[in-house]
Amino acid sequence: MTNQPKMVPLPIYQPPAQTASTGLGKELAWIGSLLFLVVTLLLLLLGQTPAWRGLIGNIAINFLAIMVEALPFMLIGSLAGGLIEVFVPVAWVDRVVRQHRIRAVFLAGGMGLLLPVCECAIVPVIRRLLGTGVPLAAALTFLLAGPIVNGIVAFSTAIAYSYDWMVPAVRLGSGYCIAVIIGLLLGRWFNRDNGLLPEWGKALPVSCGHQGCNHDCKPSWIARVRHALEHASDDFFSVGFYLVIGAFIAAFVRSVVPMDTFNHLLATPWQAILIMMIMAVLLNLCSEADAFIAASFRGILPGSAQMAFMVLGPMLDIKLLLMYLSVFRKRLIVALALTVPAVVLLAILALQAFLPDLF
């Protein structure tokens, strides 16, 4: 009886710096760091010339704006992830999700209502959930649905659309359904062994996480809080690397491709939907602010195109793809990059066909 998980509240955690090589992700991290430094130095030098000063200034402003917008939510997600690992009992996870994998997917789709985080902060939470033994299908579902299906996003969307609550209702409903479908679909093809990096591929052994303690170790409340903060710190800095690179790419795209390029777009709905989906991937906006960008296209683009922008962006963009490298194997990242846009496109086309005048 002493070896049962329910007697120990904390799963062990291995900081990223102490783990074995993560293969492609670690190599890309070094290459990305070097390229980032080289490009930053080059832009700094170009910014001293009159011909490039305006563009470099815009890139710097957009980069700082994205980071200032994203970092607080990144910190919130890291703290939430640390609290999940430390204070969510392993026995509860086993009872709720491990023993009911299909039900866990449907529950994960609505978990954002209890844990409202945007896509900037979702990856650290997913890392901690995987550490407690949550099935991959449920983790993927929360990864996609969490940044959309939450109260903060619903409220910000309602404000952007002049308190037309039909718009956030459709957005949250679409995000939930799409995330559940993709979670069930990819859950049949991938598992923890072939979808996650080695340090996340298996549920971490049950322990208090302190050296020298046996399985009966029960740390104090203060020690558990400190333990949660240590986890949060590790997640913030390890995943934050990918956020910085992604924010830089997004700032460059937003500076080179002005938003008013699309103001006079006259196209059929499916063309507008595709264009807005591409913009959602490239602009890397926060799910709690992207509704204001989408609402600016009212009267210019159909509502289905605006909805495609608000649904796809929180599920898949450049910074998310980069942050996925800290958790998933490349085959799963490729599957997400192909499956998410395809399912979103089909869902939004169906919305346009059956509810063309929704808003």
Side-chain angles (χ1 to χ4, degrees):
M1 297 297 293
T2 59
N3 293 326
Q4 294 182 358
K6 63 182 181 180
M7 297 188 64
V8 183
L10 300 179
I12 195 171
Y13 172 71
Q14 298 293 336
Q18 298 178 1
T19 60
S21 173
T22 59
L24 178 63
K26 186 175 181 178
E27 294 176 2
L28 289 180
W30 282 102
I31 296 174
S33 298
L34 180 60
L35 290 177
F36 179 75
L37 291 176
V38 171
V39 172
T40 301
L41 179 60
L42 177 61
L43 292 178
L44 181 62
L45 295 176
L46 289 175
Q48 305 303 314
T49 63
W52 290 84
R53 186 171 300 150
L55 176 61
I56 303 305
N58 288 335
I59 294 175
I61 292 173
N62 284 326
F63 174 77
L64 289 176
I66 295 173
M67 292 302 298
V68 169
E69 179 184 62
L71 281 177
F73 297 104
M74 186 73 188
L75 179 60
I76 292 172
S78 299
L79 290 173
L83 293 174
I84 286 173
E85 171 153 333
V86 171
F87 290 100
V88 174
V90 176
W92 182 86
V93 175
D94 182 74
R95 182 172 63 254
V96 174
V97 295
R98 293 188 198 172
Q99 299 176 3
H100 305 278
R101 296 182 180 271
I102 301 298
R103 186 180 71 179
V105 172
F106 290 93
L107 291 175
M111 193 183 301
L113 297 174
L114 300 177
L115 187 62
V117 293
C118 72
E119 75 274 11
C120 305
I122 194 68
V123 174
V125 178
I126 292 299
R127 285 158 58 108
R128 299 277 63 82
L129 288 174
L130 290 170
T132 62
V134 170
L136 179 60
L140 289 175
T141 302
F142 180 57
L143 175 72
L144 300 176
I148 301 176
V149 187
N150 70 64
I152 298 177
V153 170
F155 189 66
S156 66
T157 305
I159 294 176
Y161 282 86
S162 303
Y163 293 98
D164 182 358
W165 288 96
M166 180 60 68
V167 179
V170 173
R171 185 184 188 186
L172 269 64
S174 301
Y176 177 86
C177 294
I178 292 171
V180 168
I181 291 172
I182 295 175
L184 293 174
L185 185 63
L186 295 184
R188 296 178 60 88
W189 297 340
F190 294 94
N191 52 48
R192 300 177 69 92
D193 293 327
N194 65 7
L196 302 179
L197 294 177
E199 61 267 32
W200 304 105
K202 295 182 180 180
L204 299 174
V206 178
S207 172
C208 69
H210 294 82
Q211 295 182 353
C213 291
N214 56 31
H215 287 283
D216 294 326
C217 176
K218 296 182 179 180
S220 65
W221 185 85
I222 296 178
R224 298 174 72 184
V225 172
R226 184 176 66 250
H227 193 52
L229 293 177
E230 291 172 354
H231 289 306
S233 175
D234 289 334
D235 278 338
F236 182 81
F237 288 106
S238 61
V239 181
F241 163 79
Y242 300 98
L243 175 62
V244 171
I245 301 297
F248 179 79
I249 296 175
F252 182 82
V253 172
R254 293 175 67 176
S255 300
V256 174
V257 183
M259 290 290 295
D260 57 12
T261 301
F262 306 95
N263 284 346
H264 303 288
L265 179 66
L266 297 176
T268 56
W270 71 268
Q271 291 175 324
I273 290 171
L274 287 177
I275 290 176
M276 292 297 281
M277 289 177 62
I278 294 173
M279 287 180 58
V281 174
L282 294 179
L283 293 183
N284 294 263
L285 297 173
C286 175
S287 63
E288 294 165 356
D290 59 0
F292 296 94
I293 302 298
S296 67
F297 288 94
R298 285 186 295 179
I300 301 174
L301 298 178
S304 56
Q306 301 167 44
M307 188 60 63
F309 181 86
M310 293 187 289
V311 172
L312 179 60
M315 293 184 175
L316 188 75
D317 59 26
I318 293 175
K319 70 174 181 293
L320 281 175
L321 287 174
L322 290 171
M323 289 195 292
Y324 289 166
L325 293 172
S326 68
V327 184
F328 303 126
R329 294 181 184 269
K330 61 180 180 179
R331 61 175 69 97
L332 179 52
I333 297 176
V334 171
L336 284 168
L338 296 176
T339 306
V340 173
V343 176
V344 170
L345 178 60
L346 292 175
I348 299 301
L349 288 176
L351 182 66
Q352 172 65 31
F354 292 102
L355 298 172
D357 300 322
L358 181 62
F359 60 94

